Amino acid sequence: MHAYAPLDWGLLAAIALIWGSSFLFMEIGLRSFEPGVITLARVALGAATLALFPKARAAVERQDLPRIAGLGVIWIAIPLLIFPIAQQWTTSSVTGMINGAMPVFTVIWAIYLMRKLPGWRQLLGIGLGFLGMMLIFVPELDVGGDQLIGALLVVVAVMFYGLAANLSVPLSQKYGALPVVFRSQLAALVIVAPVGLVQIPASSWSWESALAMIPVGVLGTGAAFVLMATLTGRVGGPRASVATYFIPIVAIVLGVVVLGESVETIALAGVLLVMAGAWIASRRES
């Protein structure tokens, strides 16, 4: 197993920066656009971006299209509709911190779907992950109200991510990640389009919010998947997944520096536990 080459580190840093900054850009988008408009913009831009890559347009068997469409609902439509709704009430930093628990939920869903008891390493990782989430929620519990509801909605979205991560495995192994992601986005677009179009009249226009949709859609919902597929092909899936552990760090730094958000010390301790738990839970049992 060779060490990361400079190109590998560059791919990892780009992925972490793109996905970690998506919460910041959604926050900016919400200044003028309704949540459904943001979801529609990012899915449409993401699908249009992936359509430019020949690998994403590779053929898939007709019999697998319903499964891919279902994946589009679970992986794309539902979570991406939930995130901007949640961020109306909670901060981009908190959203990013909770998003770091995705590998933990992925392992939990894998245990449920395979009906197999976890090993001690996965149990430890799950335990640390949930302890960390409890610490992240302490400031939200103190505030209560809409902010707590927003944080809980983020948890629901991340749970869907964890389920989708398991359901996408056989399809990605068969066709590669890009054809599956591209067609999932097209299926999701059918669902989110009516929601976004209905909410356009309630939105206002600003260049600030409109320009924020470009990195969220073109990069976060499009190009980042290409970069992740490239990194996975070079270093393997488990080593490429390290990029996800940097997403909360990017989200916190950008939320504090750019938006002036405050992050409680106990929540920072929580995100460290979540990241540690995610890393341990996602390691293969010996």
Side-chain angles (χ1 to χ4, degrees):
M1 183 180 294
H2 62 81
Y4 262 43
L7 176 58
D8 301 328
W9 284 113
L11 289 169
L12 186 147
I15 293 164
L17 182 60
I18 290 171
W19 278 339
S21 64
S22 63
F23 309 107
L24 163 69
F25 290 115
M26 279 193 288
E27 193 81 21
I28 296 173
L30 284 168
R31 294 173 181 174
S32 298
F33 301 149
E34 291 294 307
V37 176
I38 292 175
T39 303
L40 173 57
R42 70 179 298 187
V43 176
L45 288 171
T49 302
L50 288 181
L52 300 175
F53 294 88
K55 285 186 178 181
R57 303 194 306 270
V60 301
E61 296 177 13
R62 185 181 296 271
Q63 65 189 32
D64 287 324
L65 290 178
R67 296 169 61 197
I68 294 176
L71 193 60
V73 176
I74 296 170
W75 191 7
I76 310 291
I78 294 176
L80 296 194
L81 282 169
I82 290 176
F83 273 119
I85 293 173
Q87 277 195 233
Q88 294 179 112
W89 304 313
T90 192
T91 65
S92 65
S93 301
V94 170
T95 306
M97 286 191 285
I98 297 174
N99 192 77
M102 195 273 276
V104 176
F105 283 112
T106 300
V107 172
I108 293 172
W109 277 112
I111 293 168
Y112 172 77
L113 293 171
M114 293 189 296
R115 300 292 196 273
K116 183 179 179 181
L117 292 176
W120 70 267
R121 187 177 286 110
Q122 290 186 333
L123 284 175
L124 175 61
I126 292 170
L128 287 175
F130 273 98
L131 177 59
M133 286 189 62
M134 290 174 62
L135 295 182
I136 292 172
F137 266 87
V138 168
E140 310 306 306
L141 291 172
D142 289 341
V143 175
D146 291 342
Q147 192 163 323
L148 177 59
I149 293 173
L152 289 172
L153 283 174
V154 176
V155 174
V156 174
V158 175
M159 288 176 64
F160 275 103
Y161 271 166
L163 174 59
N166 283 280
L167 298 181
S168 66
V169 170
L171 290 167
S172 295
Q173 289 176 338
K174 185 175 182 179
Y175 299 111
L178 294 186
V180 175
V181 173
F182 175 52
R183 285 166 176 79
S184 294
Q185 289 184 354
L186 292 178
L189 189 58
V190 175
I191 296 172
V192 305
V195 180
L197 293 174
V198 166
Q199 292 187 356
I200 287 178
S203 302
S204 58
W205 172 266
S206 73
W207 280 108
E208 177 188 48
S209 294
L211 291 174
M213 295 300 95
I214 295 175
V216 170
V218 173
L219 299 181
T221 320
F225 286 102
V226 179
L227 297 177
M228 191 66 173
T230 302
L231 182 61
T232 301
R234 289 176 57 86
V235 304
R239 297 179 74 200
S241 69
V242 171
T244 62
Y245 306 135
F246 292 97
I247 293 174
I249 298 174
V250 174
I252 293 169
V253 171
L254 292 178
V256 171
V257 174
V258 179
L259 299 177
E261 297 173 351
S262 60
V263 180
E264 300 288 343
T265 303
I266 192 170
L268 288 175
V271 78
L272 291 176
L273 283 176
V274 166
M275 292 168 63
W279 185 84
I280 294 171
S282 62
R283 297 304 92 188
R284 189 183 300 275
E285 292 287 347
S286 58

